[in-house]
Structures are given as C-alpha cells and as structure tokens.
C-alpha cells in the first residue's frame, strides 16, 4: 500500500479575496472548493502527496501565495 500525506488548508473571509486565493491554488495544480455561508466565502484546498517533504513544500508554496494576495488585498 502506498502512503499518502494530506493537508487541508481552510480559509474564510471576503468573497473577492477568496476567489483570488482559489485562482492561486488552481494555478499551483490544486482543486479548491469555495462555499458561501453567513455572508462569507469559505475556501478549502486539500494538498496530497506521497512524500512528506514534497507535501510540506507544496503547502509552503501555497501559503506564500496566499500571504502575498492577502497583503495585496489589505494593503
């Protein structure tokens, strides 16, 4: 049986930023999920890899992209 490491990244907030974050996740090869609840958008991205270090690298890259978009949006 092959190992699979999974990290779920969840974010909730402004709809415009949520769509930008989802687009960034898609550009990195992930399949984001957007849901609207109580006037906010909720974004979920599941990152899967068979190698733990590779998973960490992919999650780090995703969080760096998200951080840059948040700074841009809030700046």
């Amino acid at each position: 049986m092959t190992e699979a490491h999974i990290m779920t990244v969840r974010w909730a907030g402004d709809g415009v930023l949520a769509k930008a974050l989802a687009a960034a996740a898609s550009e990195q090869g992930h399949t984001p999920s957007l849901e609207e609840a109580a006037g906010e958008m909720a974004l979920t991205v599941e990152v899967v890899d068979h190698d733990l270090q590779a998973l960490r690298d992919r999650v780090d890259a995703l969080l760096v992209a998200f951080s840059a978009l948040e700074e841009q949006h809030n700046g």
Side-chain angles (χ1 to χ4, degrees), residues 4-71:
H5 302 283
I6 303 166
M7 173 68 72
T8 303
V9 177
R10 292 193 178 106
W11 178 92
D14 176 73
V16 172
L17 181 54
K19 291 176 184 175
L21 297 175
S26 292
E27 288 172 9
Q28 291 189 15
H30 306 292
T31 305
S33 170
L34 281 174
E35 295 179 19
E36 188 171 357
E40 284 190 333
M41 292 294 284
L43 170 68
T44 303
V45 180
E46 194 169 86
V47 183
V48 180
D49 208 295
H50 296 289
D51 178 76
L52 188 57
Q53 183 60 49
L55 174 72
R56 180 181 175 193
D57 293 343
R58 293 179 71 203
V59 170
D60 285 349
L62 181 64
L63 294 177
V64 165
F66 281 8
S67 179
L69 285 168
E70 275 190 327
E71 285 181 26

